[in-house]
Amino acid sequence: MTDFARTRAAFDLPEGVIYLDGNSLGPLPRGVMQRAERVIREEWGGMLIRGWNDAGWMALSTRVGDRIARLVGAEAGSVICGDTLSIRTFQALNAALALNPDRRVILSDTGNFPSDLYIADGLARLKGEGYALRTAPPGAIGDALDETVAVLMLTEVDYRTGRLHDMRDLTERAHALGIVTVWDLAHSAGAVPVDLSGCGADFAVGCTYKYLNGGPGAPAFLYVAPRHQGVSFPTIQGWLGHAEPFAFEQGYRPAAGIARMRIGTPPVIQLAILDAALDVWEGVSMDDIRARSIGLSERFIAGVEALDAGLELVSPRDPMGRGSQVSFSHPDGYAIMQTLIADGVIGDFRAPDRIRFGFAPLYLDDRDIDTAVARLGRIMAGERWRDARFSARKAVT
Ligand SMILES: *Cc1c(COP(=O)(O)O)cnc(C)c1O
């Protein structure tokens, strides 16, 4: 059994704040400060360049990758960490397309995160020769699979609504038609149980600053199924993906295994911080996370609907069809969220009219949910959100 009292105590949340935005930026785990201090002062400050060997900096990308692998059902040695999700998506997509050279279509859904769609569209343009991104509504993806599709690229949990794709079923159906899959786990890793290996997924990517609490701008991860590692290329052929970076050869020779997906110098400080943040996950079962996440989100939905305040649920009502986040729509959603944040309940807003709440079982409990609902109820009843200062749009919503 996961000890949620321990995990809750492992976070340093500001007094009075109820944090329902861990799906966008996870909060600070207590152990991170010490580790950051150590890596900066003792390793960088004290060891200087010797840190690459003496502090194991060079091994961090794969070491941290292996720790993430455990959380997403991936085989050891199949996950690399570093660079951003957008870059990792580009790498995964191009490697996937290369496995299906006679086809030209990347299929995704219209609800996918813009960066994923932009990257796919940009890659198709770069490749030319009839390559194209095709999209279908999330509910119609199964029907859109056919033998013209080279790669199916989906984000498992929809960032706006929390709608959850059936990874096992869609991967199976894609494979039956000779389609290679790329799964984006941005809102899955640390939120829902994922079984990349068991589903037979080909490639996957994800970020670590959301439910994995790696901090703003934390490095992303890339999964390549073991069966594809020997024939997949990194696209961006950096020196650290070379078989022998310190031979400084003129020509490129890819490293064996997942290491060839490395590009350049790893972000050591961010990787060390992420490594410390992952300590919280030791002894945590993803099934326990899922059960608790459903309990919290069901409680929140019931509470908000009982307010009868004109907030429409836009997430799937069936908890099995959702990830770990819930959204409601309201024409004045932006101002309502700003008022709620001013009252210490932090969620976020996604255009055009959605207020979004993430439920991270590591540090949230039923009392938090009840307090959040009560504060929201007060705001809706008093219409305080009509105050003009809550409607001024900020750069990040
Ligand atoms: C958060 C998120 C991103 C962000 O990509 P970055 O390169 O880290 O900025 C991309 N795709 C999805 C699906 C996301 O949820």
Side-chain angles (χ1 to χ4, degrees), residues 16 44 56 62 160 218-219 230 262 264 299 337 375:
W44 175 21
T62 43
R160 274 202 206 93
R262 299 175 77 137
R299 191 179 185 95
M337 182 51 77
R375 290 188 197 168

Side-chain angles (χ1 to χ4, degrees), residues 188-390:
S188 306
V192 295
V194 178
D195 185 10
L196 286 175
S197 171
C199 290
D202 299 285
F203 297 87
V205 292
C207 48
T208 63
Y209 49 79
K210 292 172 180 164
Y211 292 93
L212 298 182
N213 314 307
F221 64 89
L222 167 66
Y223 164 81
V224 181
R227 65 185 179 281
H228 298 319
Q229 286 174 14
V231 292
S232 294
F233 292 89
T235 300
I236 304 166
Q237 295 186 168
W239 73 298
L240 284 184
H242 190 278
E244 289 183 83
F246 288 88
F248 295 104
E249 289 171 11
Q250 192 82 54
Y252 178 77
R253 275 193 299 127
I258 193 72
R260 69 173 55 175
M261 293 295 169
R262 299 175 77 137
I263 301 173
T265 303
V268 170
I269 294 168
Q270 288 264 213
L271 279 169
I273 284 173
L274 172 58
D275 193 33
L278 290 172
D279 287 347
V280 181
W281 292 93
E282 293 300 325
V284 170
S285 130
M286 285 310 301
D287 289 335
D288 292 346
I289 288 278
R290 180 64 168 155
R292 192 170 163 98
S293 146
I294 289 175
L296 293 169
S297 53
E298 290 287 277
R299 191 179 185 95
F300 187 74
I301 292 172
V304 171
E305 293 193 326
L307 297 175
D308 199 17
L311 293 160
E312 285 296 324
L313 180 71
V314 290
S315 298
R317 188 162 291 280
D318 175 6
M320 299 315 287
R322 296 193 302 261
S324 200
Q325 63 196 55
V326 166
S327 301
F328 293 88
S329 69
H330 189 287
D332 292 299
Y334 184 80
I336 290 167
M337 182 51 77
Q338 287 304 313
T339 317
L340 195 56
I341 292 171
D343 278 11
V345 178
I346 302 182
D348 61 21
F349 172 82
R350 285 294 174 264
D353 61 0
R354 275 110 198 249
I355 53 175
R356 188 174 71 156
F357 303 91
F359 301 94
L362 289 183
Y363 48 85
L364 291 170
D365 63 19
D366 286 349
R367 272 216 334 257
D368 296 322
I369 299 305
D370 295 347
T371 308
V373 169
R375 290 188 197 168
L376 179 60
R378 237 178 22 221
I379 289 167
M380 299 310 288
E383 300 203 352
R384 239 171 66 246
W385 48 270
R386 292 195 188 276
D387 188 322
R389 76 191 154 107
F390 294 124

Side-chain angles (χ1 to χ4, degrees), residues 84-87 112-113 115-116 155 159 184 186-187 207 209-210:
T84 70
L85 178 49
S86 299
I87 289 171
N112 206 343
F113 191 79
S115 202
D116 299 50
T155 297
Y159 77 103
D184 188 330
H187 296 280
C207 48
Y209 49 79
K210 292 172 180 164

Side-chain angles (χ1 to χ4, degrees), residues 17 34 50 111 149 151 186 197 331 392-393:
V17 164
Q34 256 187 327
R50 292 169 290 188
V149 176
V151 174
S197 171
R393 291 282 171 125

